[in-house]
Amino acid sequence: MKDGIYRNTCPRNCYGTCGILSHVKNGKLIKVTGDPEHGYSKGSLCAKGYAFTQYVYSPNRIKYPMLQSPRGSGKWKRISWDEAYTIIASKMIDLNQRYGSNLASGYNKFSGNLGLLHYATEGMFNSIGPHTKPIGNPCALTGKLAMNRSFGESFSSVPEDMAGSKLIVLWGANPTVTNVHQMKFINEARSKGAKLVVIDPIFTQTAKKADLYIQIHPGTDRLLALGIAKLVIEKQQHSLEFLEEQTTGWPEYKEYLENQLTIDEVCKQTGVVVEALKELSELYGTIKPVATWAGLGVQRNSHGSESISAINSLAAVTGNLFLPNGGLYFMHFDVDDFPCALLNHKGPEHPMIPGPREVDISDFASSALQLSEPPLRLLWIASRNITQDHNLKAWVELFQKLELIVTVDLYMTKTAERSDIVLPAATHFEEEDLNVGYWHYWLSINQKAIPPYYEAKSDLQIARELTRKLNELSPEFSNFPADKEPIDWIKEELTSEIMASYGLTSYEDILKRPYKKNTLKAISEDWKNFRLLSTEGKKSEVSLYQGDSSGVDEYKLITPQSLLKIHSQYETLNWLNSTQDESCIELSTEAAQLNDINDQEKIEVYNDQGQIVGVAKINPHLPKNIILTHQAGNNPINQLIIQQNEEDVSTYFYDSIVYIKKWRESHV
Ligand SMILES: Nc1nc2c(c(=O)[nH]1)N[C@H]1C(S)=C(S)[C@@H](COP(=O)(O)OP(=O)(O)OC[C@H]3O[C@@H](n4cnc5c(=O)[nH]c(N)nc54)[C@H](O)[C@@H]3O)O[C@H]1N2
Ligand SMILES: Nc1nc2c(c(=O)[nH]1)N[C@H]1C(S)=C(S)[C@@H](COP(=O)(O)OP(=O)(O)OC[C@H]3O[C@@H](n4cnc5c(=O)[nH]c(N)nc54)[C@H](O)[C@@H]3O)O[C@H]1N2
Ligand code: SF4
Ligand SMILES: [Mo]
């Protein structure tokens, strides 16, 4: 590896997908800076990005493949890669012989690294024929389905364009914490006079900066959006021509707002006072263009899907959907336009089994427990920390049933600690990749800048080497193209269509700078396919918000993202986080009084799933029946989170109910 400056891309599950310049000396990453050629991140990174030199060389990184025996004992032994592959491949072959297929082998993978070459895990499993795989998306599926319902496809406006908006309305998004780069564009708009509105049950860091903050009862955004639309229509401020000619469902929607929905009901259920409702509807009705952001926070409850549809509909009613610098923000799935050759790698057919066995990732552990003929016996976990899932009890049970658990990670996570084998994953500086954003529309390369840390390997390299071992022990077990180099996979993604849509003329172009998509889907005036929120069956409004009626000793648990972590990542990096033994549990002044709890006192948060002990922090801005705490940590809060509605494929992290008490009470 030569000294110099390399181009990397932050592969985290984050809006930024930032361009990085990696400064390498004597084979070491000595500094990272933002890539000024990246038109979204524009030469800067967040604190987590600047801490990458510590992330790469942290002594906490896993250095070698390791075997734990017995599982969970903490007794780890260093093994060679060859030994690791032999154990894993032998088990896969053994399971295949036992059950006549590979359905007993499966994986769980989510969002540790979103680079296209990280689909190697999926490709590796595809290449053994039918196996058990996760489907779905625990982060954004509810919203994605709602967007598809509104627009007929995924849609999200261009984030740089927010800088030209006159009014920016954030529904359940907290960019000061989760999307720091977007604040540049928001601040630019505000410096030109734009107003910022934040709608959130929590008085967040972003809410603090807003011109208007609306504290809404969680799960009731649908009613607020409908209430605003009602007032806008009453004042004749709506975009009638667009609604009549280019949308579906206008007569029913209008009839519902005029005759069924009362502002009293909206105020009662959302907890928003009528003055605030009127102020926001005045802003929506009189200012153009308005950028509306239907945030991911809105869709983490069982009313989320309808709320997203209602927010989209409000943007349509006010005629902002197709206005330049207006629009609708959620996230996009343009990665699906790429061949995703590893993800779509076709494996050998099985004479009896038509395809892989799919398990909903939002209910993976409890669904996997139900599998029979054959049961799931081997689980490969990559880019995933199961403490981020809900229903951790089911995971404990599933782990007991598994014969082999392999976790590929960079750090000894709670998931790795419960595995038989851990394999050390490379950082993005130690591997090649190609990255597409899900918020902005930039494509960027990730070059191999430094040699791997100790014996770390990329997920793609692991797929190649495991394939060779499988085929050595059982010829033709896998058809994974093990000889194909990372650069070949990257070039395969850059088809002539993709190159044209990003304005690339050759592969070499992408080595020089990131490229922005030039064929953006714009909602134009001749675009005729918007579907308004269906109000069918909504004649009598059910109570969306139970918080007030069901007594104040019951609390909704809200567990949003933290500034210096990505979910459970970066916890052990002391440039960013200090390891805390106990979680900080925020509660309202009313809840503290009711339960006789003082600030900084130890408290217990519990429900039928378990209990967590934490340190109380009284937050005078918190609604009385919300408990606010952050994800992951030593004693992960997700122990208390469980899916309420088993039929549903979405994950409602913010629907859980908890109780609180002074900690000592449970020990008297
Ligand atoms: N620093 C940092 N950045 C991140 C991440 C991280 O872990 N750390 N994670 C990344 C990922 S994967 C994601 S998905 C995004 C998430 O990005 P955001 O959507 O911005 O973040 P969340 O914290 O999920 O939720 C946003 C807000 O929704 C509010 N909220 C909760 N329920 C409701 C409701 O019913 N109505 C309304 N109006 N608001 C509600 C919460 O109080 C919260 O303030 O962030 C990404 N960026
Ligand atoms: N309570 C609560 N729970 C939540 C949420 C919430 O708001 N509240 N949010 C949900 C959301 S939005 C999301 S997106 C999910 C996130 O769920 P996950 O994606 O499971 O979360 P992470 O903690 O980011 O775990 C990713 C793991 O991948 C590892 N990793 C990083 N790079 C690589 C790599 O190149 N190869 C391999 N093999 N591993 C790698 C990291 O070290 C880390 O351990 O969490 C969800 N869970
Ligand atoms: S975590 Fe997000 S904002 Fe920070 S460097 Fe990575 S992509 Fe950029
Ligand atoms: Mo997410």
Side-chain angles (χ1 to χ4, degrees):
M1 223 99 290
K2 278 204 243 135
D3 284 0
I5 297 176
Y6 293 82
R7 281 219 139 72
N8 287 91
T9 305
C10 180
R12 294 288 89 86
N13 184 352
C14 173
Y15 297 97
T17 319
C18 297
I20 302 174
L21 294 182
S22 306
H23 304 247
V24 175
K25 205 169 168 192
N26 300 328
K28 278 238 163 195
L29 180 71
I30 53 160
K31 184 171 86 171
V32 289
T33 53
D35 181 352
E37 301 276 2
H38 195 290
Y40 182 73
S41 53
K42 294 191 170 179
S44 65
L45 304 172
C46 75
K48 302 177 290 293
Y50 288 120
F52 271 137
T53 44
Q54 190 179 46
Y55 175 77
V56 170
Y57 299 113
S58 164
N60 295 327
R61 264 190 77 181
I62 301 170
K63 300 186 178 72
Y64 314 104
M66 291 197 293
L67 176 73
Q68 180 177 224
S69 177
R71 186 191 296 162
S73 65
K75 290 185 192 149
W76 290 96
K77 179 176 94 173
R78 179 180 168 185
I79 55 174
S80 68
W81 275 99
D82 191 64
E83 279 173 279
Y85 291 137
T86 305
I87 297 169
I88 300 162
S90 307
K91 177 58 85 179
M92 287 167 98
I93 294 163
D94 164 47
L95 290 170
N96 178 289
Q97 285 165 353
R98 211 188 308 166
Y99 296 112
S101 81
N102 288 318
L103 292 183
S105 294
Y107 66 92
N108 188 299
K109 181 195 161 215
F110 196 48
S111 69
N113 182 317
L114 296 184
L116 283 172
L117 268 49
H118 282 263
Y119 284 131
T121 306
E122 287 86 340
M124 177 178 93
F125 273 88
N126 286 348
S127 71
I128 58 171
H131 57 280
T132 298
K133 64 181 275 188
I135 54 159
N137 180 332
C139 164
L141 186 67
T142 311
K144 182 183 184 187
L145 296 176
M147 295 308 284
N148 287 351
R149 210 168 47 233
S150 295
F151 293 93
E153 58 190 340
S154 82
F155 182 81
S156 195
S157 296
V158 180
E160 294 93 310
D161 292 352
M162 217 182 257
S165 303
K166 293 276 189 291
L167 171 66
I168 298 166
V169 187
L170 310 186
W171 297 75
N174 185 16
T176 307
V177 167
T178 60
N179 190 348
V180 292
H181 292 297
Q182 194 57 32
M183 292 311 292
K184 285 192 299 242
F185 303 104
I186 293 177
N187 291 339
E188 191 181 329
R190 297 184 85 190
S191 71
K192 294 182 274 185
K195 286 198 158 38
L196 175 66
V197 178
V198 171
I199 302 162
D200 198 305
I202 314 291
F203 188 52
T204 61
Q205 292 302 321
T206 314
K208 284 178 190 158
K209 301 186 165 112
D211 297 286
L212 174 64
Y213 164 57
I214 294 190
Q215 189 161 49
I216 188 173
H217 285 159
T220 65
D221 299 74
R222 172 169 74 80
L223 278 177
L224 183 62
L226 286 169
I228 297 164
K230 180 181 168 87
L231 295 181
V232 165
I233 294 167
E234 268 175 20
K235 288 202 163 178
Q236 305 287 320
Q237 291 162 329
H238 56 305
S239 197
L240 186 62
E241 213 180 295
F242 172 74
L243 289 162
E244 283 182 339
E245 289 172 19
Q246 295 178 231
T247 64
T248 311
W250 168 238
E252 301 79 16
Y253 176 84
K254 178 168 175 272
E255 193 280 331
Y256 172 80
L257 292 186
E258 283 176 354
N259 302 321
Q260 312 286 335
L261 185 83
T262 66
I263 294 300
D264 272 1
E265 186 68 14
V266 171
C267 292
K268 197 172 129 223
Q269 291 216 31
T270 58
V272 177
V273 294
V274 71
E275 292 76 13
L277 190 72
K278 284 188 176 158
E279 189 170 338
L280 182 53
S281 69
E282 188 61 18
L283 293 174
Y284 252 117
T286 56
I287 297 178
K288 281 196 173 64
V290 185
T292 299
W293 183 345
L296 288 155
V298 170
Q299 47 105 62
R300 296 203 211 291
N301 61 69
S302 57
H303 302 293
S305 169
E306 294 218 311
S307 288
I308 299 276
S309 295
I311 294 166
N312 297 347
S313 300
L314 176 60
V317 165
T318 55
N320 277 290
L321 273 187
F322 55 81
L323 285 186
N325 306 105
L328 201 282
Y329 291 83
F330 176 65
M331 69 192 279
H332 66 75
F333 296 85
D334 279 10
V335 64
D336 297 341
D337 298 343
F338 285 73
C340 299
L342 280 154
L343 176 70
N344 295 314
H345 172 72
K346 220 170 139 28
E349 286 180 7
H350 189 281
M352 320 280 288
I353 302 163
R357 184 163 65 174
E358 295 178 341
V359 179
D360 175 14
I361 193 168
S362 296
D363 196 29
F364 190 88
S366 63
S367 302
L369 277 166
Q370 312 297 319
L371 298 175
S372 60
E373 297 178 36
L376 186 65
R377 292 292 186 221
L378 176 150
L379 186 63
W380 180 281
I381 302 173
S383 274
R384 178 73 168 139
N385 191 350
I386 58 148
T387 60
Q388 289 308 117
D389 201 357
H390 66 113
N391 202 353
L392 299 189
K393 274 189 177 163
W395 273 106
V396 172
E397 219 184 303
L398 177 65
F399 274 20
Q400 281 162 1
K401 299 253 158 67
L402 294 169
E403 291 175 20
L404 186 66
I405 305 166
V406 180
T407 295
V408 190
D409 207 304
L410 296 92
Y411 285 86
M412 190 54 88
T413 61
K414 299 264 176 229
T415 307
E417 278 172 7
R418 296 168 198 207
S419 310
D420 300 297
I421 292 181
V422 295
L423 301 177
T427 66
H428 50 291
F429 300 100
E430 299 153 38
E431 63 185 17
E432 288 91 352
D433 213 330
L434 185 68
N435 297 72
V436 200
Y438 60 68
W439 175 249
H440 62 63
Y441 288 88
W442 292 80
L443 173 72
S444 55
I445 194 81
N446 183 73
Q447 295 178 301
K448 183 168 174 171
I450 48 170
Y453 181 72
Y454 292 81
E455 291 191 5
K457 293 183 197 282
S458 70
D459 290 85
L460 175 57
Q461 188 61 19
I462 295 171
R464 298 170 74 187
E465 293 176 5
L466 181 66
T467 300
R468 292 197 184 106
K469 180 58 77 179
L470 283 164
N471 290 341
E472 178 193 315
L473 299 180
S474 174
E476 294 182 33
F477 195 88
S478 160
N479 76 358
F480 191 80
D483 292 335
K484 210 159 146 178
E485 296 293 332
I487 185 151
D488 303 326
W489 289 106
I490 291 177
K491 285 186 172 164
E492 199 169 334
E493 298 302 325
L494 297 172
T495 59
S496 50
E497 280 104 332
I498 290 289
M499 301 252 276
S501 68
Y502 285 88
L504 294 169
T505 50
S506 71
Y507 163 73
E508 280 68 33
D509 287 348
I510 196 73
L511 302 176
K512 296 185 197 116
R513 67 174 177 90
Y515 276 74
K516 186 176 182 177
K517 196 167 178 181
N518 54 23
T519 51
L520 292 167
K521 281 180 217 155
I523 301 186
S524 63
E525 309 225 12
D526 59 1
W527 181 84
K528 289 202 189 312
N529 214 6
F530 186 84
R531 185 177 290 272
L532 289 158
L533 170 73
S534 162
T535 47
E536 223 182 290
K538 302 258 158 26
K539 299 296 171 205
S540 62
E541 282 296 346
V542 288
S543 183
L544 293 178
Y545 184 66
Q546 261 92 39
D548 278 335
S549 54
S550 53
V552 272
D553 51 350
E554 205 177 82
Y555 302 89
K556 237 186 181 165
L557 179 65
I558 307 257
T559 53
Q561 334 297 329
S562 325
L563 181 65
L564 298 175
K565 293 197 250 174
I566 290 282
H567 304 288
S568 69
Q569 299 186 63
Y570 307 129
E571 273 180 348
T572 61
L573 294 189
N574 62 13
W575 287 7
L576 298 172
N577 296 295
S578 56
T579 34
Q580 281 169 320
D581 288 337
E582 274 143 351
S583 336
C584 166
I585 315 253
E586 294 186 41
L587 71 166
S588 63
T589 316
E590 291 89 338
Q593 273 164 4
L594 189 76
N595 296 281
D596 190 24
I597 289 167
N598 297 312
D599 202 47
Q600 300 301 316
E601 204 166 43
K602 266 193 184 180
I603 62 167
E604 198 178 299
V605 185
Y606 64 98
N607 61 16
D608 60 359
Q609 295 301 301
Q611 47 106 276
I612 303 262
V613 177
V615 177
K617 181 175 167 198
I618 298 173
N619 175 346
H621 304 295
L622 207 59
K624 62 182 175 195
N625 30 34
I626 289 183
I627 295 288
L628 175 69
T629 184
H630 288 286
Q631 296 162 42
N634 240 352
N635 206 2
I637 191 71
N638 286 31
Q639 286 168 84
L640 305 186
I641 299 178
I642 185 154
Q643 186 90 0
Q644 306 296 325
N645 180 354
E646 285 178 8
E647 301 297 300
D648 210 318
V649 292
S650 302
T651 310
Y652 304 131
F653 289 106
Y654 304 166
D655 264 349
S656 280
I657 297 294
V658 292
Y659 307 89
I660 52 172
K661 61 180 171 193
K662 272 196 196 225
W663 180 65
R664 65 179 161 76
E665 285 173 20
S666 61
H667 294 261
V668 183

mmCIF file of all heavy atoms in Angstrom, residues 13 139 300 567, ligand 4:
data_model
loop_
_atom_site.group_PDB
_atom_site.id
_atom_site.type_symbol
_atom_site.label_atom_id
_atom_site.label_comp_id
_atom_site.label_asym_id
_atom_site.label_seq_id
_atom_site.Cartn_x
_atom_site.Cartn_y
_atom_site.Cartn_z
ATOM 1 N N ASN A 13 -24.877 3.122 8.349
ATOM 2 C CA ASN A 13 -26.285 3.337 8.071
ATOM 3 C C ASN A 13 -26.603 4.735 8.591
ATOM 4 O O ASN A 13 -27.017 4.923 9.728
ATOM 5 C CB ASN A 13 -27.115 2.273 8.787
ATOM 6 C CG ASN A 13 -28.580 2.382 8.452
ATOM 7 O OD1 ASN A 13 -29.005 3.331 7.806
ATOM 8 N ND2 ASN A 13 -29.352 1.411 8.908
ATOM 9 N N CYS A 139 -35.707 -0.926 9.918
ATOM 10 C CA CYS A 139 -35.499 0.513 10.088
ATOM 11 C C CYS A 139 -36.598 1.309 9.406
ATOM 12 O O CYS A 139 -37.145 2.242 9.978
ATOM 13 C CB CYS A 139 -34.131 0.851 9.511
ATOM 14 S SG CYS A 139 -33.815 2.572 9.199
ATOM 15 N N ARG A 300 -42.159 4.582 13.581
ATOM 16 C CA ARG A 300 -41.758 3.523 14.500
ATOM 17 C C ARG A 300 -42.866 3.187 15.492
ATOM 18 O O ARG A 300 -42.615 2.827 16.633
ATOM 19 C CB ARG A 300 -40.485 3.908 15.239
ATOM 20 C CG ARG A 300 -39.291 4.075 14.317
ATOM 21 C CD ARG A 300 -37.980 3.905 15.040
ATOM 22 N NE ARG A 300 -36.937 4.716 14.448
ATOM 23 C CZ ARG A 300 -36.400 4.503 13.254
ATOM 24 N NH1 ARG A 300 -36.819 3.481 12.527
ATOM 25 N NH2 ARG A 300 -35.456 5.302 12.792
ATOM 26 N N HIS A 567 -26.317 3.451 16.337
ATOM 27 C CA HIS A 567 -26.946 2.343 17.040
ATOM 28 C C HIS A 567 -26.014 1.832 18.132
ATOM 29 O O HIS A 567 -25.673 2.587 19.017
ATOM 30 C CB HIS A 567 -27.427 1.281 16.046
ATOM 31 C CG HIS A 567 -28.347 1.915 15.052
ATOM 32 N ND1 HIS A 567 -29.604 2.317 15.387
ATOM 33 C CD2 HIS A 567 -28.157 2.316 13.781
ATOM 34 C CE1 HIS A 567 -30.159 2.914 14.351
ATOM 35 N NE2 HIS A 567 -29.304 2.932 13.362
HETATM 36 MO MO MO B 4 -32.226 2.905 10.783
#
